[in-house]
Amino acid sequence: MNAKTKFDWGKLVHWRFFMPIVCLFLVLLVNVIQTPDFFVISINNGVLYGYLIDIINRASELVILAVGMTLVTAASGGQDISVGAVMAVAAGICCQILSGGAVSTNTLMAPMAIAILAALAASVLCGAFNGFLVSVLGIQPMVATLILFTAGRGIAQLVTKGQITYVRVDSYRVMGGYIGACPVPTPVFFAIGVVLVVNLVLNKTALGLYIESVGVNGSASRLVGLNSTHIKFLTYVIMGLLSGVAGIVASSRIYSADANNIGLNLEMDAILAVALGGNNLGGGRFNLMGSVIGAYTIQALTTTLYAMKVSADQLPVYKAIVVIIIVVIQSPVFQKKFRSMRHGKAVTVNAG
Amino acid sequence: MKKWLSVILASVMAVSFTACGNSSTATNGAANGDASAAVSAAASSDTGTASMKTESGKTITVGFSQVGAESDWRTANTTSMKDTFSTANGFNLVFDDAQQKQENQITAIRNFIQQEVDYIVLAPVTETGWDTVLKEAKDANIPVIIVDRMVKVSDESLFTAWVGSNFKLEGQKAAAWLKNFADAKGLKGSDLHIVDIQGTIGASAQIGRTEGLEEAAKEYGWDLLAKESGEFTQAKGQEVMESFIKQYPNLNVVYCENDNEAFGAIDALTAAGKTVGPDIKNGQIMVLSFDSTKAGLTDTLKGKITLNTECNPLHGPRVKKIIDTLESGGTVDKKAYVDEEMFSADTTVTQVSVGGENFNVTKLTQEVLDKRAY
C-alpha cells in the first residue's frame, strides 16, 4: 500500500506539468489564508464576477503571447522581445482605420473586419521581418527583434500621430468586454481559441515535431530533409499574428490605441511565462500547456498582490521575490537535489 | 606602434573637444550681444518681442524633451509647446518624444547639448536621476527649464527655472471640496470610504495629489481604504478598480489621480453593476478626478465624474515668458505655477478654501466645455 502511493507520487513528480501547476497552486494558496473569499465566483450584473475571473480574464493577452513565445523559443532557441511593440502597432492600425484618422470617433468609419484584417496583416508583416532576420540572415533572435522592440512603438506613434485614438463604439468593445448576454469575458474565448487552434495544428500535423527537432539540432534536421529556415520563419510569423490578436484584445478593453502603454513590458512577462512553464529557453523540446499555466501564474500573482493590499511602491519587490522562488524551484540543480532527497528517503524507508 | 597611435588619437580628440568648447562660447557671446541690444526694444513694447526677434533674423533654438503621449493632458502640453515655439514666433523647436523612458530623455538632452541649442526644456518622467546630465547642460552654458514634474537634484543651480502645477494644492483643493460636500450633505467623516487610484509611483503629480488626500483623511477622520497605482493609464485604472470593488464592498468615493484612470475606473464600476454619481447616500459611487481634459470634462458634464480638478497643460506661454526674460538679460523666479481651476456639474459646493486662499468651483456647462481647447 505504502509502496503504491510512493510509486504514484514519483510518477506525479516526473509529470511535465507538475512544477508549473505546483507554482500556480503555491501562489493561489496564499489567498486561502489571506483572502478567504478569493475563490468565490458569483454572477453580478449578469456577468461572472470574482478574483478568479479577473485572473483568467486579465491573463488572456499574456496566454496568447506565451503560446507564440513557446514556439519561437523552441525553434530558434531565442526569444522575440518585440511582441509588446507589435501589439501597439496592431492596436494603432486597427483604431486608426476605425476612426478614419480622427483622434476620437463615435461611429465606425470603416468596417471592423477590414480594420482587424489590416492590423493582423501588419503584425504578420512584423513577424515575417523578425523571422527573416533570424532564419535567413541568422541573426541572434534577441538582437534581431530588438529592432522592432525599439522601432515598433515609434511606428505605432506614427500611425496614431502620437495621440491616443479612441473608438467609442460599443461594437468595438466586444472583444475586450462581453458578447451580448454571455457572462464570460470575451478575451477568455480568444485565449482558449488560440490555445486550442495551436494545439490542434501541432498535434494533427507534424509541425510540433519539426519545431522541436529544429530547436534540438538544426543541422541534423536539415540532413534528414527538414527545411529549418522555413520552420523558424514560420514560428516568427505565428508569433507576429498572435501579437496582433493580443494587441486588438488589449485595445478593445480600453476602446483606444495607447501606443505608449499597450503591451508595455508584456514581452518580459511572456518570456517569464515560458520559463515558468518548465521550458528550456535554449530551445528544443517544449511544453505548450506549461507556458499557458505559467501565464496564468503571473497574472494570479499580480491579482493576489492587489488582494493582499500590498502598496503600489512595494509591488515589484514582492513580485520579484516570488519569481525568484519559482525559478529556483524549477531550476535543474534544485530539481535534482529534490529528487535525490526523495530517493534517499525511499531507500531509508525500504531499509527500515 | 600602437602606443603612438593611441597618443595621436587622444590628441586629435582633445583638439576636437576644445574646438567644440570654443565654438559654443562663441555662440553664447553672440547671443549675449544680441540680447543686450534687445533689452531696450523689449522695454518699450512687451508684446512685440516675438515679432521683433524674427525681424532681427535670429531664431532661438529650443530643445524640448517630452515624456511621451500617455494621456490627453500630455498631448495638450505638447501642442501648447509646439504652438508657442513655432517658426512664426521666431523659434526653432527640436522636439523629442521619450516614450516614458528616462534613458531616452537623457540621450535627448545630450543630443541637444551637441546640437548647441539655446534652451533646453525638459518634462521629466521621474524626479530623480538628473544630476549628471543637467550638469553637462550647465557646463555647456545652456539654460534648462523644467516643466510639469519637478526634478530632485543635489544642486538647485542645475536648472534655471521650473514651470508647472502645484500638485499638492490640487490635492488639497479636491480634498477641501470633498470636506465641504460631505458637510453640506450631512455626512460624517467616517461615512466616506475612499479608495485612491494613484498615478505612476514617484511622479510629482502622484506624490502631491496623494499627500493632499492623505492629510485631509487624517484631519477629518475619513476612511481611506486603500491606495494602489493605476500608472496614469486607463487599462491599469480599470484593473485596479476591479480589484478594489471586490475587496471593499462599502467604498463610496474613488479618488483617481488623472482622467484616464477615471475612465478605466468608471468602466470597471459600471461593469460591476454600480452607478457612478454624487449621491453616495443612496449607493452611488462618487468619482473624483484630476487634469480636466476635454474627454474628462465630457464625463463630468454627464455626471460620471463629480469633481474634476484642473491641471493646466498650457505651459508654452509661461515658458516663453521665461525665455523672453532671460533673452533680455533679466532674472527669473525659480518656480512659476500656472493657474488652475476646478470643475463640477454638481453645485453643492461653489467655493473652497485652502490655506486662507479661496478657489471657485466652476459649474460645468456645455458652453464651458466647447471653449476647451484640449
Side-chain angles (χ1 to χ4, degrees):
Chain A
M1 183 65 200
N2 196 8
K4 203 179 172 213
T5 45
K6 272 266 142 49
F7 178 67
D8 284 346
W9 169 246
K11 204 175 170 187
L12 188 68
V13 170
H14 286 92
W15 186 44
R16 56 198 202 133
F17 297 138
F18 179 67
M19 270 304 165
I21 288 183
V22 164
C23 293
L24 179 59
F25 273 91
L26 273 181
V27 171
L28 291 177
L29 194 69
V30 184
N31 292 299
V32 179
I33 310 149
Q34 279 286 334
T35 332
D37 56 352
F38 193 89
F39 300 95
V40 176
I41 296 176
S42 56
I43 296 270
N44 186 341
N45 198 24
V47 295
L48 287 174
Y49 181 82
Y51 281 116
L52 283 183
I53 301 298
D54 282 357
I55 295 174
I56 296 168
N57 180 13
R58 293 270 160 206
S60 303
E61 289 99 315
L62 191 56
V63 167
I64 296 170
L65 292 182
V67 166
M69 195 65 83
T70 312
L71 301 183
V72 163
T73 303
S76 68
Q79 285 72 41
D80 182 346
I81 57 170
S82 72
V83 291
V86 174
M87 279 173 75
V89 173
I93 290 178
C94 189
C95 287
Q96 203 64 24
I97 292 177
L98 288 178
S99 78
V103 178
S104 174
T105 180
N106 293 319
T107 47
L108 293 181
M109 293 297 166
M112 197 125 76
I114 289 180
I116 290 174
L117 282 179
L120 292 181
S123 51
V124 163
L125 203 68
C126 291
F129 175 73
N130 286 333
F132 176 75
L133 294 181
V134 173
S135 63
V136 180
L137 301 185
I139 300 173
Q140 281 264 325
M142 211 167 270
V143 178
T145 54
L146 189 64
I147 298 172
L148 273 179
F149 171 77
T150 37
R153 288 193 190 279
I155 297 170
Q157 293 270 9
L158 217 63
V159 170
T160 57
K161 303 188 191 97
Q163 307 269 339
I164 300 179
T165 308
Y166 276 95
V167 181
R168 298 179 197 277
V169 183
D170 281 342
S171 60
Y172 187 63
R173 301 174 67 163
V174 165
M175 287 169 294
Y178 299 89
I179 310 169
C182 176
V184 182
T186 324
V188 178
F189 292 117
F190 275 95
I192 295 173
V194 163
V195 172
L196 281 182
V197 168
V198 172
N199 249 325
L200 206 70
V201 171
L202 292 181
N203 290 333
K204 290 287 164 193
T205 69
L207 185 65
L209 192 66
Y210 289 174
I211 289 175
E212 280 189 351
S213 55
V214 167
V216 171
N217 191 334
S219 328
S221 320
R222 208 164 39 246
L223 289 178
V224 296
L226 284 180
N227 190 335
S228 61
T229 311
H230 278 184
I231 286 166
K232 274 188 198 172
F233 182 78
L234 188 64
T235 59
Y236 278 88
V237 171
I238 295 173
M239 178 83 258
L241 178 68
L242 294 181
S243 308
V245 173
I248 291 171
V249 171
S251 146
S252 169
R253 275 189 205 279
I254 53 170
Y255 45 92
S256 60
D258 184 348
N260 277 321
N261 289 306
I262 281 189
L264 190 65
N265 298 336
L266 218 53
E267 55 279 335
M268 293 305 149
D269 279 352
I271 295 170
L272 184 63
V274 173
L276 291 185
N279 291 292
N280 177 4
L281 290 187
R285 294 203 59 190
F286 66 92
N287 177 353
L288 193 69
M289 289 319 284
S291 302
V292 172
I293 296 168
Y296 284 117
T297 310
I298 293 170
Q299 188 58 42
L301 181 59
T302 311
T303 309
T304 300
L305 290 176
Y306 283 149
M308 284 173 62
K309 300 159 198 175
V310 175
S311 79
D313 38 356
Q314 295 164 359
L315 205 79
V317 181
Y318 282 93
K319 241 179 160 171
I321 292 172
V322 176
V323 167
I324 290 171
I325 294 173
I326 294 177
V327 172
V328 167
I329 290 177
Q330 296 226 37
S331 69
V333 175
F334 186 88
Q335 294 221 351
K336 220 172 175 181
K337 279 253 163 64
F338 179 71
R339 273 176 200 146
S340 65
M341 225 163 68
R342 287 222 50 84
H343 283 304
K345 247 189 201 163
V347 169
T348 45
V349 166
N350 284 348
Chain B
M1 192 59 205
K2 258 187 185 166
K3 243 182 203 167
W4 277 111
L5 193 68
S6 61
V7 168
I8 292 167
L9 280 177
S11 52
V12 166
M13 254 165 77
V15 168
S16 63
F17 272 131
T18 17
C20 287
N22 276 339
S23 64
S24 81
T25 29
T27 26
N28 276 322
N32 283 338
D34 223 55
S36 58
V39 176
S40 53
S44 58
S45 93
D46 210 72
T47 45
T49 333
S51 56
M52 176 213 63
K53 262 169 205 141
T54 30
E55 276 161 28
S56 70
K58 179 184 176 287
T59 48
I60 298 173
T61 308
V62 178
F64 177 38
S65 170
Q66 177 62 287
V67 173
E70 79 274 18
S71 59
D72 301 338
W73 188 94
R74 188 65 62 192
T75 312
N77 184 245
T78 306
T79 316
S80 165
M81 289 291 186
K82 282 184 175 167
D83 289 350
T84 312
F85 298 108
S86 61
T87 334
N89 285 345
F91 290 95
N92 172 25
L93 182 70
V94 187
F95 178 76
D96 184 89
D97 183 330
Q99 297 183 15
Q100 321 289 322
K101 290 195 187 79
Q102 187 174 27
E103 59 265 32
N104 288 355
Q105 294 202 294
I106 291 173
T107 317
I109 294 174
R110 295 211 165 112
N111 285 338
F112 293 154
I113 297 172
Q114 272 175 9
Q115 292 165 25
E116 295 176 7
V117 298
D118 299 312
Y119 293 92
I120 292 173
V121 180
L122 168 68
V125 64
T126 52
E127 295 198 327
T128 51
W130 299 103
D131 287 83
T132 319
V133 72
L134 292 188
K135 181 85 179 39
E136 286 167 30
K138 196 190 172 193
D139 290 345
N141 264 325
I142 303 173
V144 176
I145 299 163
I146 311 287
V147 297
D148 181 23
R149 296 167 187 166
M150 190 42 133
V151 290
K152 273 192 186 135
V153 282
S154 52
D155 177 8
E156 287 275 292
S157 75
L158 287 180
F159 63 93
T160 312
W162 170 82
V163 173
S165 308
N166 192 340
F167 296 117
K168 179 85 183 279
L169 180 67
E170 287 174 13
Q172 287 169 327
K173 272 155 67 180
W177 181 91
L178 186 58
K179 165 74 180 149
N180 289 1
F181 181 84
D183 287 349
K185 295 276 174 190
L187 291 158
K188 288 198 299 288
S190 53
D191 291 338
L192 297 176
H193 306 288
I194 308 166
V195 290
D196 179 6
I197 303 183
Q198 298 170 286
T200 307
I201 298 296
S204 314
Q206 177 270 319
I207 296 170
R209 289 166 188 173
T210 305
E211 271 180 6
L213 175 71
E214 276 179 341
E215 282 173 11
K218 212 175 269 173
E219 194 182 337
Y220 306 127
W222 294 343
D223 178 20
L224 184 54
L225 294 163
K227 43 190 185 26
E228 198 72 69
S229 174
E231 288 166 19
F232 287 136
T233 65
Q234 188 175 344
K236 210 73 186 165
Q238 196 180 355
E239 188 178 344
V240 168
M241 195 65 228
E242 277 178 2
S243 175
F244 277 162
I245 299 170
K246 294 178 183 78
Q247 278 169 65
Y248 311 104
N250 62 338
L251 71 91
N252 53 19
V253 178
V254 185
Y255 183 90
C256 300
E257 293 184 7
N258 83 343
D259 278 341
N260 296 64
E261 287 178 349
F263 301 149
I266 292 167
D267 285 341
L269 285 165
T270 321
K274 314 267 184 196
T275 45
V276 287
D279 194 4
I280 51 179
K281 265 186 180 168
N282 294 318
Q284 284 195 331
I285 292 178
M286 183 157 77
V287 178
L288 307 181
S289 178
F290 291 89
D291 284 4
S292 301
T293 56
K294 201 163 190 174
L297 287 182
T298 310
D299 272 7
T300 308
L301 193 64
K302 283 183 196 153
K304 290 182 186 170
I305 296 173
T306 310
L307 175 75
N308 211 326
T309 309
E310 190 191 32
C311 179
N312 192 350
L314 307 179
H315 291 159
R318 199 80 198 213
V319 174
K320 185 172 172 292
K321 220 178 190 176
I322 290 176
I323 290 181
D324 287 346
T325 315
L326 289 172
E327 281 292 301
S328 58
T331 50
V332 289
D333 288 337
K334 202 84 190 174
K335 279 185 179 179
Y337 290 121
V338 285
D339 297 330
E340 295 174 327
E341 293 183 68
M342 296 170 89
F343 298 98
S344 175
D346 182 279
T347 49
T348 316
V349 182
T350 52
Q351 199 178 49
V352 298
S353 152
V354 176
E357 204 178 334
N358 286 329
F359 299 94
N360 287 329
V361 181
T362 312
K363 186 193 179 305
L364 191 66
T365 54
Q366 188 64 43
E367 205 180 332
V368 178
L369 184 60
D370 288 340
K371 276 191 207 147
R372 205 82 182 156
Y374 53 93

